[in-house]
């Protein structure tokens, strides 16, 4: 058992881990971060996606011990103050049904939009080709991202575009 | 048409914030810290064998192992429609993957290490892996005691054989029907098994405390059914069993009824004071939960020269697996409905539920209708070609209309089948194929009808509690499950419409059987209809309480009062307006300072009192087993690479008669998602077993579901609305139906493009390419 | 899934320390970089190492450069690194093509090319460019270094020429000086992430020299020497392509498995070789080629 320090959602966390513990289990069981989900345990489904130093990775295939000194962002991290415009677009376009794959997909797309603020449909598809969704048929996910990225990427404009949300609960 | 405020509107989902912010709690998120024990299963390596011995001595030595349990600890049977199943295998195992023992340990790793050390000695028995072999003379029997198994009265097992249930439906005179036919076409279609592939695997936590109280948290579509089966199997009173269902990470029928959840429930009863968790790995999810049943369907259809179907003989042989406690009802449902959405006077249907040494079959979105329609809708297209009639015209001519009789003699409900056909074909410009994108490719058009009724016991019911809070927000307490379809939102819309409260002010939580009223199950696409009726009644009850109170205090006649904008108003006194938040909990103060009224708490219940299963066992005539059918039509343009066989759906349109789309955006979501799931079963997926009954692809590497790069270029969802008379605002269910037409539509499009007919699912690129190659070779040989 | 197997973990800060550990643990220690194969294999009990040696702290193993016509790829270079690096595509289009077909973005950001070739599965997409560009695998041990030509690297399914005490430090590819190009075609069941049912890599230069390699069609990824010999020196014509396709049964030895039947692999190899050769010509002549779309099924 070794104590390591990981920056989880911008907070330094100290946790003791065994070498054979994967990041997903440590986040969920030892650090109480529950949004990364377990779907396949072998990197096929993407439900456990987190951002490791800004890159989307499969937390079920990363040993926790190696993340010492690195930064992890999960959906809790990007929802802390308020939802991101991407998350709001997901709600507006019904881009989820059961919601189990949503945290992973949101993080994969967050990475994509960091790197390519105006992705093509093809780039969008490729960015989430490793995130399986059984409910939506993906189309509503594309719709949300396309609508979001068609508007100017300046945050204020994007927020404006989404502010005509139909759900008063979001405002 | 009446103008509604919330019904028929694209209301944003009320569970969106939770799910998108990461706040939603799923079964795997239930945490009991140090008092949590973890279970791991020891599973059969044999398809059929006698258990000679189980040696747990080495496993018990593993550090952190707490206890190990086997079948001896739980000699109880359970089952939804037929009690043919044990919590752990007793003397015999009947499929590879069946649970034989469970190790309970302090950590999941220790449980796993120990489970590998449990030694089970088997004496193999001959295994039957194919349903046609299983019904052959002299086949090994899976359940020699079949005659002693309790079952619902509408099942007809054949003791001494592997037939667990045989649904016979007979109408008219088959021989005469075929005698009248000018064209007869007969063929066989096969469908393999399929896996649901919800991204969340099955998970349940059981906790039994020193007061004999069993609580189970489970990822479930059926919390009340689970409570009932747990209580029955474990000998507990219902009041001491509580099932709490957090959010479900995808169901598709796989989390209906009871599968693995009974294991942690049972284990918990012997682990007082602890919580015990069992979470399936993806491999376990593939090998030991319900699967979609495999099918061999023999269809013989007769048509006269006018294009009228004169007779249908439909024999469907189901590979139902080792235990059929749920799957037999799939067989039953299709046995009543295997005429498809057609008006046919002379019908014979045999739907035969057959035990095999493969994992138990059970509910899967579509409940057998996908499997049935693959054969039937392929056959109908071929029948039309055989007799020289355009296939759409042929279908229109024979389409079932309101008032026509179904195969079992009941009348067909109002429906928009013809409108669906017209809209779906128009959407893809039927008859005008787009030009392929390069010379290696060809384009075909495919079409299919769909229909399905909820398969339920005649007394399946729903109920609802509704309570007002001080600010006139509402807790709507119901026990259906939002498995993604948007149930919570739609139920909130119904209550909102009646009570003039916006849906965003209504909280719908996931079920807890202690606190929420009874719901049969979230299956059968019946929940919008059934629970919607219950919610509407509860809302009307609340409204009546409110108006009665106002009448008592202010003396306005009840008939003059109405609700609008969260207030009570009066048609005869436009100055009167009392905000709901001013009295729905605290009551109304009268002139003498006393209060009248009090918290508004309402209830509603719905049971389809016209339904019955009292049909004749030999003909199925006489009962009213299905409450109604939902119908639809779909068409697509399919581009095929002639050499590789790779297919691309250019455009697919699916029109469905929702009765009334309470939330059109959610209906469109069901159409898109369901159609993609249906296309997955025909283009990509199938479960492959080796000669020993072992699944060869129990993972997302080789049983993959479509990725974002594998979906149609364009999906056109079309909503048709012919109201269901007994539905809430005219609504009926659509959730399962959206995947039904996919498979025959692809097979029909492949034939249209390449002239080859594929009669077995899946229709993969490989199968298309190789069949086309063969047909070209044969043609050359002829020349 | 908790990993049932227990092991220890080291993260050395220099190559010498890596080699020392590998020398003392031999096959009881495994190198850990991306972990995308290794962690799955450990979870499923296919390997049971006593020690994992994490090599990601070694800067020299992250080296990716093109110097004097040699493309060098360090052992910790990921598929994403390769895809995102413009000179990789320019120098070796087939490698770029192949990397883009491996798994999906979330896996490629961790998985390494070197880790990939160490797995030595028959369906190894990345093997075909390495075979066509006659790559050299650089191994090191406490005793020194050893360069293994890629043609001698794959010995059998999941078996390579590396020795117990050795560690792969990198791979280098010679980029031909003359005008040349290459393309990789993969047939999978899915448009998204999938293992290859068949893979064909084709290289050619302006002197009508051809190098052709395949994966998932034999026990190990291999060059198609008979076809190359027949084609070399000849300009492509429809007849020549047909003649090349006719030789396929001599070159490959496919099996039937869960992903494809032997017959389909044989049939589709002809289609792929033909379309691959034509695509290579297109690239040679400056036309844009999108390999993912050449076999149908995708927009």
């Amino acid at each position: 058992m070794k104590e390591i320090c990981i920056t989880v959602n911008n907070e330094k966390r100290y946790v003791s881990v065994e070498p054979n513990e994967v990041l997903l289990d440590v986040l969920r069981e030892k650090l109480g971060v529950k949004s990364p989900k377990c779907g396949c345990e072998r990197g096929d489904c993407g439900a456990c996606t987190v951002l490791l130093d800004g890159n989307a990775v499969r937390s079920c295939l990363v040993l926790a011990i190696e993340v010492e000194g690195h930064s992890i962002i999960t959906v809790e991290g990007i929802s802390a103050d308020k939802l991101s415009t991407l998350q709001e677009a997901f709600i507006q376009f019904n881009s989820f049904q059961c919601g189990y794959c949503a945290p992973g997909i949101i993080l994969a797309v967050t990475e994509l939009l960091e790197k390519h603020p105006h992705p093509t449909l093809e780039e969008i598809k490729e960015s989430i080709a490793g995130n399986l969704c059984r409910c939506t048929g993906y189309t509503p996910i594309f719709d949300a991202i396309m609508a979001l990225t068609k508007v100017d990427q300046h945050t204020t404009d994007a927020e404006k575009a989404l502010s005509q949300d139909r759900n008063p609960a979001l405002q | 048409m009446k103008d509604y405020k919330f019904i028929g509107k694209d209301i944003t989902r009320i569970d969106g914030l939770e799910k998108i912010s990461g706040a939603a709690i799923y079964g795997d998120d239930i945490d009991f810290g140090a008092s949590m024990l973890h279970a791991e299963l020891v599973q059969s390596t044999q398809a059929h064998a006698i258990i000679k011995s189980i040696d747990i001595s080495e496993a018990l030595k593993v550090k952190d192992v707490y206890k190990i349990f086997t079948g001896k600890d739980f000699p109880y049977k359970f089952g939804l429609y037929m009690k043919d199943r044990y919590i752990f295998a007793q003397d015999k195992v009947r499929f590879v993957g069946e649970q034989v023992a469970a190790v309970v340990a302090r950590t999941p790793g220790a449980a796993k290490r120990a489970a590998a050390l449990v030694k089970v000695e088997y004496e193999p028995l001959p295994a039957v892996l194919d349903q046609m072999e299983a019904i052959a003379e002299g086949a090994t029997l899976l359940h020699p005691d079949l005659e002693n198994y309790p079952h619902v009265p509408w099942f007809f097992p054949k003791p001494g054989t592997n037939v667990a249930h045989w649904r016979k439906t007979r109408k008219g005179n088959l021989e005469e029907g075929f005698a009248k036919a000018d064209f007869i076409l007969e063929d066989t279609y096969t469908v393999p098994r399929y896996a649901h592939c919800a991204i969340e695997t099955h998970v349940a936590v059981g906790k039994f405390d020193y007061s004999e109280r069993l609580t189970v948290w489970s990822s479930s579509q059926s919390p009340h059914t689970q409570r009932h089966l747990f209580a029955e199997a474990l000998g507990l009173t219902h009041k001491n069993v509580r099932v709490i269902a957090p959010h479900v990470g995808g169901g598709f029928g796989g989390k209906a009824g009871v599968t693995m959840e009974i294991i942690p429930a049972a284990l918990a009863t012997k682990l007082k004071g602890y919580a015990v968790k069992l979470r399936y790995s993806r491999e376990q999810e593939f090998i030991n939960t319900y699967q979609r049943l495999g099918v061999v369907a023999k269809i013989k259809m007769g048509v006269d020269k006018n294009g009228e179907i004169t007779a249908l003989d439909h024999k469907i042989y189901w590979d139902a697996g080792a235990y059929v406690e749920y799957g037999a009802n799939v067989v039953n449902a299709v046995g009543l409905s295997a005429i498809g959405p057609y008006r046919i006077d002379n019908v014979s249907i045999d739907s035969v539920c057959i035990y095999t040494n493969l994992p138990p079959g059970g509910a899967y979105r579509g409940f057998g209708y996908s499997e049935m329609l693959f054969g039937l809708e392929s056959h109908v297209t071929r029948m039309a070609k055989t007799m020289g009639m355009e296939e759409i015209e042929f279908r229109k001519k024979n389409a079932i209309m309101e008032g026509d009789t179904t195969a079992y003699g009941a009348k067909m409900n109002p429906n928009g089948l013809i409108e669906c056909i017209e809209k779906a074909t128009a959407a893809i410009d039927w008859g005008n194929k787009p030009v392929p994108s390069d010379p290696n490719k060809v384009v075909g058009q495919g079409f299919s009808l769909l229909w399905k009724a909820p398969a339920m016991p005649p007394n399946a019911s729903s109920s609802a509690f509704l309570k007002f809070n001080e600010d006139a927000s509402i807790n709507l307490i119901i026990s259906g499950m939002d498995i993604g379809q948007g149930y919570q939102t739609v139920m909130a819309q119904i209550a909102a419409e009646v009570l003039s409260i916006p849906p965003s002010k209504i909280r719908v939580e996931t079920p807890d059987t202690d606190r929420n009223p009874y719901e049969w199950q979230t299956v059968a696409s019946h929940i919008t209809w059934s629970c919607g009726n219950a919610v509407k009644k509860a809302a009307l009850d609340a409204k009546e309480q409110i108006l009665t109170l106002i009448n008592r205090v202010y003396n306005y006649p009840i008939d003059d009062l109405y609700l609008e904008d969260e207030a009570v108003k009066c048609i005869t006194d436009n100055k009167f307006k009392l905000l709901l938040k001013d009295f729905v909990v605290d009551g109304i103060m009268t002139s003498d300072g006393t209060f009248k009224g009090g918290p508004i708490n309402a209830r509603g219940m719905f049971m389809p009192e016209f339904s019955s299963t009292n049909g004749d066992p030999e003909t199925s005539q006489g009962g009213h087993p299905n409450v109604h059918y939902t119908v639809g039509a779909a068409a697509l343009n399919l581009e095929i690479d002639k050499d590789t066989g790779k297919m691309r759906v250019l455009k697919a349109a699916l029109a469905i008669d929702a009765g009334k789309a309470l939330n059109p955006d959610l209906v469109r979501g069901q159409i898109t998602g369901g159609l993609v799931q249906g296309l997955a079963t025909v283009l990509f997926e199938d479960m492959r077993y080796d000669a020993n009954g072992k699944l060869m692809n129990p993972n997302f590497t080789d049983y993959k579901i479509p990725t974002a790069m594998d979906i149609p270029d364009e999906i056109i969802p079309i909503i048709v609305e012919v109201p269901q008379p007994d539905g809430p605002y005219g609504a009926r269910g659509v959730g399962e139906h959206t995947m039904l037409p996919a498979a025959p539509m692809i097979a029909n499009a492949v034939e249209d493009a390449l002239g080859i007919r594929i009669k077995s699912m899946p229709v993969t690129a490989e199968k298309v390419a190789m069949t086309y190659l063969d047909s070209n070779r044969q043609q050359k040989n002829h020349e | 899934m908790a990993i049932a197997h227990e092991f220890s973990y080291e993260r050395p800060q220099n190559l010498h320390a890596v080699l020392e550990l590998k020398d003392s643990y031999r096959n009881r220690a495994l190198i850990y970089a991306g972990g995308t194969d290794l962690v799955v294999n450990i979870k499923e009990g296919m390997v049971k190492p006593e020690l994992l040696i994490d090599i990601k702290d070694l800067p020299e193993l992250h080296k990716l450069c093109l110097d004097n016509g040699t493309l060098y790829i360090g052992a910790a270079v990921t598929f994403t690194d390769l895809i995102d690096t413009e000179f990789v595509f320019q120098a070796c289009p087939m490698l770029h093509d192949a990397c883009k077909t491996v798994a999906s973005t979330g896996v490629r950001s961790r998985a390494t090319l070197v880790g990939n070739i160490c797995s030595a599965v028959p369906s190894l997409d990345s093997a075909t460019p390495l075979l066509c560009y006659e790559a050299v695998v650089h191994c090191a041990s406490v005793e020194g270094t050893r360069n293994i030509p890629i043609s001698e690297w794959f010995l059998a399914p999941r078996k390579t020429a590396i020795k117990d005490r050795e560690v792969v430090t990198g791979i280098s590819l010679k980029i031909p000086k003359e005008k040349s190009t290459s393309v990789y075609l993969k047939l999978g069941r899915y448009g998204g992430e999938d293992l290859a049912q068949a893979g064909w890599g084709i290289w050619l230069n302006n002197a009508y020299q051809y190098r052709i390699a395949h994966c998932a069609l034999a026990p190990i990824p291999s060059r198609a020497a008979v076809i190359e010999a027949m084609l070399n020196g000849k300009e492509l014509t429809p007849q020549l392509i047909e003649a090349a396709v006719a030789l396929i049964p001599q070159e490959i030895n496919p099996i039937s498995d869960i992903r494809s039947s032997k017959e389909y692999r044989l049939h589709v190899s002809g289609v792929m070789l033909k379309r691959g050769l034509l695509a290579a010509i297109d690239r040679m002549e400056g036309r844009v080629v999108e390999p993912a779309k050449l076999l149908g099924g995708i927009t």
Side-chain angles (χ1 to χ4, degrees), chain B residues 168-181 183-189 297-304 308-316 334-351 372-381 383 394 398 400 405-408 451 619 621:
Chain B
K168 292 179 187 170
T169 301
R170 304 285 185 268
K171 178 188 174 192
N173 185 320
L174 198 67
E175 272 179 34
E176 280 176 17
F178 281 117
K180 270 193 260 172
F183 304 89
I184 292 174
L185 182 66
E186 192 170 358
D187 217 328
T188 302
Y189 302 85
K298 295 177 187 293
I299 303 180
K300 183 179 175 189
M301 185 181 272
V303 177
D304 69 20
E308 191 151 317
I309 302 174
T310 59
L312 174 70
D313 182 7
H314 202 163
K315 292 184 169 59
I316 312 179
V334 172
L336 294 164
S337 300
I339 53 169
Y342 298 104
R343 179 189 60 251
I344 308 176
D345 291 337
N346 305 297
V347 176
S348 169
I349 303 168
D350 292 276
S351 190
M372 179 271 287
L373 284 170
F374 174 67
L376 187 67
E377 280 299 276
S378 296
H379 206 76
V380 165
T381 290
M383 194 78 243
F394 181 67
N398 292 286
I400 197 161
T405 53
T406 59
Y408 46 85
W451 89 331
T619 64
Q621 299 298 318

Side-chain angles (χ1 to χ4, degrees), chain B residues 216-445:
Chain B
V216 180
W217 290 259
S218 83
S219 177
S220 172
Q221 300 174 228
S222 314
H224 280 89
T225 295
Q226 293 203 335
R227 181 183 66 168
H228 181 57
L229 291 191
F230 295 163
E232 258 192 356
L234 302 170
L236 301 166
T237 159
H238 288 68
K239 86 171 174 65
N240 283 353
V241 181
R242 177 182 187 186
V243 175
I244 300 175
H247 282 293
V248 171
F252 313 108
K255 289 169 184 161
V258 171
T259 56
M260 56 79 86
E261 304 81 8
I262 201 162
I263 298 169
L267 294 175
T269 60
K270 298 197 188 278
L271 298 165
K272 273 189 191 172
Y274 287 108
V276 58
K277 177 175 184 173
L278 178 62
R279 188 186 77 199
Y280 263 6
S281 68
R282 180 53 58 183
E283 181 178 2
Q284 286 169 322
E285 186 75 12
F286 271 107
I287 64 176
N288 190 6
T289 57
Y290 294 135
Q291 301 175 359
R292 201 170 103 173
L293 287 67
V295 159
V296 173
K298 295 177 187 293
I299 303 180
K300 183 179 175 189
M301 185 181 272
V303 177
D304 69 20
K305 58 182 183 306
N306 300 318
E308 191 151 317
I309 302 174
T310 59
L312 174 70
D313 182 7
H314 202 163
K315 292 184 169 59
I316 312 179
Y317 302 91
W318 301 83
D319 155 22
Y323 305 99
V324 305
E325 46 99 12
Y326 203 151
N329 204 40
V330 173
V331 175
N332 191 69
V334 172
L336 294 164
S337 300
I339 53 169
Y342 298 104
R343 179 189 60 251
I344 308 176
D345 291 337
N346 305 297
V347 176
S348 169
I349 303 168
D350 292 276
S351 190
V352 190
C353 179
I354 303 163
Y355 282 120
T356 60
N357 288 114
L358 290 173
Y364 181 120
R365 189 179 200 171
F367 214 66
Y369 285 72
S370 290
E371 299 89 302
M372 179 271 287
L373 284 170
F374 174 67
L376 187 67
E377 280 299 276
S378 296
H379 206 76
V380 165
T381 290
R382 297 173 67 199
M383 194 78 243
K385 286 207 171 111
T386 303
M387 61 96 38
M389 194 164 170
E390 205 280 329
E391 63 175 296
I392 305 297
E393 291 313 309
F394 181 67
R395 284 185 170 93
K396 277 187 183 169
K397 187 171 180 73
N398 292 286
I400 197 161
M401 310 294 245
E402 179 180 359
D404 286 342
T405 53
T406 59
Y408 46 85
K411 297 288 179 212
M412 179 63 186
N413 50 281
N415 69 84
L417 187 56
I418 298 292
E419 189 181 343
C420 289
I421 294 173
E422 283 167 357
K423 288 190 165 162
T425 47
I428 69 146
D429 194 11
W430 182 261
N432 293 311
K433 292 186 215 177
V435 178
S437 60
D438 74 53
N440 297 321
K441 299 188 178 116
V442 287
V443 175
Q445 292 190 313

